[in-house]
Each structure stands twice: as structure tokens, then as C-alpha cells.
Amino acid sequence: MESDQIYAAVKEHYSQSALRSDQRAGYRRTVAQSFGYTEEELGGVPDQSNLGLSCGNPLAIAGLQEGETVIDIGSGAGFDVFLASKKVGATGRAIGVDMNKDMLALAEKNKTRSGITHANVSFVESRITAIRALDDGIADCVVSNCVVNLVPEAEKQRVFDEMFRLLRPGGGRLAVSDILARKPLPRALRAGAAAYVGCVAGASLVGAYEGYLERAGFKDVLFQDAHHDLNIYRDAPSYVNGSRDQPDERVSCCEPRDNNAEEVKAACCTPPSRQDGNGLNPDEQALDLGEVDLNEFLASYKIYAVKP
């Protein structure tokens, strides 16, 4: 897939997630808990800030302190931003960056719902490859949660360069949760938009990720396999408006469950075998993600690094 196709698919998929933020409360909570968030954390932020899109909890390794500035790269509906704001307090700053207008609108609504009265929470609209609205060296810590894998491979280095630029020199910290590939992915698994918005096709090998960090200038880089079950996205019970679906029913981007709204087909719904530029031969078929054991190919990693 070309970069423009990937961005379009990601934008459509995550817009739909934002617009359906009042659905599947049980699913969203189950996913978050599976990746390390506590009941206390989930109960302390607006419910619709957690959309069940995490692959870890980067704040658990960020070491945030009162008065610090933290930037969340790919902040979505504000989940980690609101949690971070509690750690840095009224004298600190928590800044979210996202390219999706629907996500940003939801984040602002969640900010109002949260009852935040101090000005330490803000959101910036930008692609994470070039965040021109933010100055160099303003952050004590940069965090990101399952977002870098959504960036086209040809542009990933720019993300790490931006993270490095935003951090203060002499100890600025990077704390990332991301999905990485255990081994090179089969071409049939990489094919199609569904695999990209599902955080599969864009997953880098650990060695490639290390290279991005090294070239950006980071030191003291640490990688740890969190050993989370990535099949939770598929296997967690789905809830719609507080009611549990039947066990064999799953909510997907292709099957909106809101019967009161016009059904919108997300970009990820295009049959993989018919998508242009997926690299498959005419007689090859992209793998159905619902039938793949994701843990065989992928892992959720904790990544920590320092700007010298």
C-alpha cells in the first residue's frame, strides 16, 4: 500500500472508533485491563477516553513527576493524556498530538467531562512525523501507545526524529508501548488496509526499531516483551451500549452496530484480494486476521530510551 492509502485507511478507521465511542464499554475496559491499566486508572478518567486501542501502558515505565511536561504522540481520545495530567499535576503539562479531527473533538469533549479546571491539558492537531506547533526540547517525557506501527515504513524514522527533537537534552525520556514483529511477516499477512489499521502490517522488527532510535540519537535503549495476549482484540467479549453481544458476534469496522445511523464502510473493509498495491499475485488471498494467532507473529513491547 502507498503512504496516502495507509493514512486514508487509518483516518477512516479511527474516525469510526471516535464516532462510536459510546459503544462496547465492556470490550474497551477488558482490553485496557489486559494491557496493564488498573481499575483505579480506568475509573479516574472519562469512560469514552478509553477506546480499547492500547497495546500496553507506557505511563507505567515513564516515571512521570510533579511539574514535568509530557507529550503523548498519537493521543487519540485523550486516555493517556488525562492519566498523565494527574501525575504531573497543575504545575506540569500534558499535551496530546493526533492527526484525526474526530479523535481531537472527542478528546476535547472528554476534557470537559473530566472536570479539569487547570490548563495543564491541551491537544494539538498534527501528523506525528512533523509536529510544527511544538518547540524543540519542551518535554521531559514523550509517550506513545500503539501508534508508531500505524505510520508507513518509509516515514517511521521521522517519528523518532520528532520525539528526539521534542525532548529536553540531558535526560529527556521516551516511553513507548508498541506492537513489533517477532519475525518477518508473511506477505499475505501484510496485505491490505485491514492489517494496517489492525496494527499488524506496519509492525517493525525489533532490529529495525532499534535502528530508528539509534539514528535519531537516543541512548540507553531498552526493549522488553510484555508478553500480553494480542488475541484479546479478537477474543474479548463485545459490548454495545452496555449490552453484551452474542458470543459469535463481533463488532468490526465493516459492521457498524448502530442501527440508527447510516452504515459507513471503513477503508479497511475492502476485500484484501481486490486492493491495489498489496503485492499479492492474482491467485493469492490475504490472510483473515480473525483466523490468525497474532502471538505467533507479533508481540507487545515496552520501549524506553533517553536523550543524552
Side-chain angles (χ1 to χ4, degrees):
M1 292 180 66
E2 299 295 328
S3 292
D4 287 346
Q5 291 177 299
I6 292 170
Y7 278 120
V10 169
K11 179 181 178 182
E12 178 65 19
H13 180 72
Y14 285 86
S15 285
Q16 293 302 314
S17 294
L19 295 172
R20 301 189 188 110
S21 62
D22 61 339
Q23 300 179 14
R24 298 195 297 161
Y27 170 86
R28 293 186 275 113
R29 181 171 289 267
T30 297
V31 169
Q33 289 176 319
S34 297
F35 289 118
Y37 291 96
T38 66
E39 284 284 356
E40 181 180 2
E41 287 174 320
L42 292 171
V45 296
D47 175 66
Q48 292 180 35
S49 65
N50 165 34
L51 300 182
L53 301 173
S54 304
C55 64
N57 181 356
L59 300 182
I61 61 172
L64 297 178
Q65 302 293 321
E66 186 88 15
E68 288 190 322
T69 294
V70 57
I71 300 174
D72 182 10
I73 301 296
S75 53
F79 184 36
D80 286 324
V81 174
F82 298 126
L83 289 172
S85 73
K86 295 175 179 292
K87 296 179 181 293
V88 301
T91 60
R93 298 175 64 197
I95 304 168
V97 179
D98 206 283
M99 71 173 185
N100 191 295
K101 292 181 183 294
D102 293 311
M103 281 291 186
L104 290 166
L106 179 57
E108 291 292 350
K109 289 180 181 178
N110 285 329
K111 179 179 176 180
T112 301
R113 292 172 182 143
S114 71
I116 293 174
T117 56
H118 43 80
N120 77 330
V121 171
S122 59
F123 295 96
V124 173
E125 181 183 349
S126 175
R127 285 191 179 182
I128 61 175
T129 52
I131 311 170
R132 297 184 177 87
L134 299 178
D135 294 332
D136 297 357
I138 63 170
D140 297 287
C141 186
V142 168
V143 301
S144 186
N145 195 341
C146 214
V147 171
V148 178
N149 58 65
L150 297 172
V151 177
E153 194 72 29
E155 300 183 23
K156 276 190 169 65
Q157 185 63 56
R158 300 180 199 172
V159 179
F160 294 96
D161 293 344
E162 276 297 270
M163 292 172 169
F164 190 85
R165 178 185 71 81
L166 293 170
L167 284 167
R168 63 172 175 81
R173 312 180 304 282
L174 177 67
V176 174
S177 291
D178 208 0
I179 292 178
L180 303 183
R182 296 183 184 276
K183 55 188 177 182
L185 300 179
R187 183 168 57 171
L189 186 56
R190 280 188 173 274
Y196 237 103
V197 300
C199 301
V200 172
S204 302
L205 291 165
V206 173
Y209 221 90
E210 290 175 329
Y212 295 135
L213 290 162
E214 180 180 354
R215 287 189 291 273
F218 285 102
K219 301 295 183 182
D220 300 327
V221 177
L222 298 173
F223 282 79
Q224 182 180 5
D225 185 341
H227 298 291
H228 294 306
D229 181 7
L230 297 183
N231 293 324
I232 188 67
Y233 299 117
R234 177 192 67 204
D235 297 338
S238 182
Y239 291 76
V240 180
N241 296 325
S243 299
R244 184 172 179 171
D245 291 342
Q246 294 300 316
D248 61 344
E249 291 183 353
R250 290 289 179 261
V251 177
S252 75
C253 64
C254 303
E255 297 177 296
R257 302 295 188 180
D258 183 356
N259 294 325
N260 297 320
E262 180 180 357
E263 182 167 314
V264 178
K265 293 290 186 181
C268 64
C269 304
T270 305
S273 60
R274 299 177 186 174
Q275 288 173 343
D276 295 331
N278 61 21
L280 297 180
N281 296 324
D283 59 344
E284 287 184 296
Q285 189 79 13
L287 292 176
D288 182 349
L289 297 185
E291 299 176 356
V292 174
D293 178 7
L294 295 178
N295 298 312
E296 177 184 348
F297 300 98
L298 306 162
S300 172
Y301 270 82
K302 303 174 185 178
I303 302 108
Y304 182 87
V306 176
K307 179 176 179 176

